[in-house]
Amino acid sequence: MNSRQAQQALRLASRTQGKPQTLRKATRQPAPAALAVEPGTRLTPVANGAVVSSRRHPLANQHANARLAHCEETVKGRFEAIIPALQAIAGLHLGEGFNAQAQAIAEAQLGYRLPERILNDAWVSGVDMKALYAYCTFQALKLATEQFANDLRQQVEAVQDTRNFFLDCGFHAVDISPCADGRLKGLMRYILRLPLTSFTRRKAYAGALFDVETDVRHWMATELRRFREGVPTTVDAGTRYLKIAVYHTSSSSPCHEGCAAHGSNDHQAVAAALDRLNQFRQAIENSFCCGASTDILLIGVDTDTDAIRVHIPDGNGDLSPQRFVDNKVLFHATLGSSADRAGLAVHEAIESSVNQHGWGTGKGAPHDGMRRLVTNLLINNLSQMDYVVDLHNGQYADIGHAERFISVGDSFEEVQIRNVAYYAHLHTLEEGVADMDVGIKIFKGLNVKHGLPVPIAIHYRYDARVPGSRERTVAKAQRVAAAIRSRYAALVEQGLLLCHLSVQDTPTGSPVEVVEDVA
């Protein structure tokens, strides 16, 4: 975290009640006394060091923004501290006292000790910095997972409220498939502001090209549980299963920083995601004759600003690439409004989209529950856009890839931070080879060209209620690791690809159990 970002985070927290302790420190450079600041005003530094004021968005949740800012800066700070610490260790003399000095640097700058085995062998051929880099990356991931798990446990009430909200909207399950791009890693916690619960399912795929057959099986399991147990609703409740696909674009560099899986072609990304959604719904209709109980929704994310674009379904549940609400337009149009007027503008934007692209063929507007859901997502995202304005001057500096590791398998669902990980969801390398190849290509540019390894965190969840589940899951992780090492053998031989294997019980927030580490 640089000094500008730190000051912005502190400024954000200082105006918010209920602030995290670490963000409550007063900034050392307060605004000039001559500048009158009204409630609801943001102070923004400009190039010459002056300060200009602009309105905070009236619907932004400033308390949530402060808490999320603390999480982001803490987690990313752990990763950003790795290279400076290792550079300091690399400058040490490899003689007597080297281990003690290296460990002192690690404890002071990273907060943990380094593997003694690697340090003990340093006198032979130098410090294995590639192994240390991978080890530190996985340690930062471990600490981030623990931090987010603790945060989730403190948000029990919010999780229950979200579950009830989905039910009020008429949805008994929500299955979200975003693109695997690391810039969407914060989709749930930041962009859409939805807590992770057993009520929602999130699996990322390159280009948002989710596996239709796999998702149909998940739909079947969900509906079977409703039939057998009445959870979370009974089969006669009239609720629906919602499938969401999330594509992404780049407003500042659409031809280069869009979705790599679609060659940064936004039209292709939209069309491909919509095609998968239609295939999913059609598969259920063809097999079970109950497509009316399944809704689909398409969301686009501008990864430069985190602004979303929600494609509004018609009365039949059909989507169109041209029928959407652009939250970036809505944000700027309501920035100086009152909270009531801004809230009304959100509803009007949805109605305008309905009428503008209208359903003159008699298909009608979406059901009330879908409208409530879309309204909630848009309002939640207004908080995120305000957050990006506050902490990143309205646009991220890293508009391209800046991931720290490749996450393979079931991912670390607790860790929801932008650009932390590239995600490849796979059970065998063969089925996910396209996602892996994209990830390796990205990290050849991020890490390998600088002599740094590609850290791959292979992580699967097991169900402790099922006999032998953990043992089979461990074997699967080891099998996938062996296949990855075989496919990218050239990188492995150069010490430029290192794997970390772990498993975790199904409930969100369960302890992560390390199976194989780099040291």
Side-chain angles (χ1 to χ4, degrees), residues 67 71 146-155 189:
R67 182 172 55 83
C71 287
E146 293 172 354
Q147 176 181 337
F148 270 88
N150 290 333
D151 186 61
L152 284 171
R153 282 190 283 270
Q154 297 170 9
Q155 300 296 314
R189 293 291 304 279

Side-chain angles (χ1 to χ4, degrees), residues 76 178-188 190-191 202 246-254 256-261 264 301-306 384 396-404 416-423 438 442:
K76 287 192 172 180
C179 179
D181 191 294
R183 290 167 291 181
L184 292 181
K185 182 62 176 171
L187 178 72
M188 299 290 284
Y190 285 80
I191 299 173
R202 176 189 177 276
V246 184
Y247 66 91
H248 64 98
T249 63
S250 170
S251 55
S252 64
S253 185
H256 299 93
E257 298 298 347
C259 183
S264 289
V301 177
D302 173 13
T303 53
D304 295 359
T305 64
D306 280 349
Q384 179 62 14
Y396 290 106
D398 55 342
I399 65 169
H401 291 282
E403 294 93 337
R404 273 65 172 189
Q416 296 282 329
I417 290 286
R418 179 186 188 274
N419 247 349
V420 164
Y422 172 87
Y423 179 49
V438 171
I442 290 170

Side-chain angles (χ1 to χ4, degrees), residues 161-175 194 197-200 222-223 226 231-234 237-244 291-297 313-314 317 366-377:
D161 288 344
T162 299
R163 181 181 186 277
N164 292 338
F165 169 77
F166 281 128
L167 287 175
D168 289 342
C169 291
F171 300 113
H172 57 258
V174 181
D175 184 355
L194 298 176
T197 73
S198 58
F199 203 60
T200 59
T222 301
E223 299 307 310
R226 290 180 66 218
V231 176
T233 61
T234 57
T239 56
R240 301 167 179 243
Y241 184 104
L242 176 61
K243 176 66 188 181
I244 303 175
S293 66
T294 304
D295 276 350
I296 56 175
L297 188 64
D314 63 21
H367 59 83
D368 289 342
M370 177 63 77
R371 291 196 200 193
R372 283 199 300 276
L373 173 66
V374 171
T375 299
N376 188 74
L377 294 178

Side-chain angles (χ1 to χ4, degrees), residues 5 21 26 103 111 167 206 288 336 367 371 412 420 443 506:
Q5 290 173 322
Q21 181 68 31
Q103 294 291 20
L167 287 175
F288 302 96
H367 59 83
R371 291 196 200 193
F412 295 82
V420 164
F443 272 82
T506 301

Side-chain angles (χ1 to χ4, degrees), residues 168-392:
D168 289 342
C169 291
F171 300 113
H172 57 258
V174 181
D175 184 355
I176 305 177
S177 291
C179 179
D181 191 294
R183 290 167 291 181
L184 292 181
K185 182 62 176 171
L187 178 72
M188 299 290 284
R189 293 291 304 279
Y190 285 80
I191 299 173
L192 300 181
R193 303 291 174 99
L194 298 176
L196 293 172
T197 73
S198 58
F199 203 60
T200 59
R201 176 177 182 264
R202 176 189 177 276
K203 295 293 181 184
Y205 297 83
L209 299 176
F210 59 89
D211 185 271
V212 174
E213 287 77 12
T214 297
D215 282 10
V216 169
R217 287 194 293 271
H218 183 267
W219 176 88
M220 293 170 60
T222 301
E223 299 307 310
L224 177 62
R225 190 179 185 200
R226 290 180 66 218
F227 182 81
R228 295 295 300 268
E229 303 177 32
V231 176
T233 61
T234 57
V235 293
D236 60 349
T239 56
R240 301 167 179 243
Y241 184 104
L242 176 61
K243 176 66 188 181
I244 303 175
V246 184
Y247 66 91
H248 64 98
T249 63
S250 170
S251 55
S252 64
S253 185
C255 297
H256 299 93
E257 298 298 347
C259 183
H262 298 296
S264 289
N265 185 318
D266 294 349
H267 297 292
Q268 184 175 325
V270 173
L274 181 55
D275 187 49
R276 286 295 168 99
L277 287 172
N278 288 329
Q279 289 175 5
F280 170 77
R281 189 170 63 165
Q282 189 65 48
I284 294 173
E285 288 183 0
N286 292 346
S287 302
F288 302 96
C289 302
C290 55
S293 66
T294 304
D295 276 350
I296 56 175
L297 188 64
L298 181 62
I299 299 175
V301 177
D302 173 13
T303 53
D304 295 359
T305 64
D306 280 349
I308 64 173
R309 175 184 291 178
V310 183
H311 294 256
I312 311 296
D314 63 21
N316 286 349
D318 296 327
L319 297 167
S320 167
Q322 290 78 39
R323 189 171 56 242
F324 58 81
V325 174
D326 189 336
N327 220 27
K328 184 183 297 184
V329 174
L330 192 57
F331 177 87
H332 292 292
T334 57
L335 193 56
S337 304
S338 67
D340 289 342
R341 183 67 190 91
L344 179 61
V346 174
H347 292 278
E348 291 175 343
I350 296 173
E351 294 303 314
S352 176
S353 176
V354 169
N355 296 326
Q356 180 179 358
H357 297 285
W359 290 293
T361 59
K363 291 184 177 180
H367 59 83
D368 289 342
M370 177 63 77
R371 291 196 200 193
R372 283 199 300 276
L373 173 66
V374 171
T375 299
N376 188 74
L377 294 178
L378 291 170
I379 291 176
N380 285 357
N381 183 245
L382 290 173
S383 288
Q384 179 62 14
M385 294 182 67
D386 197 76
Y387 174 95
V388 175
V389 169
D390 242 0
L391 266 69
H392 304 280

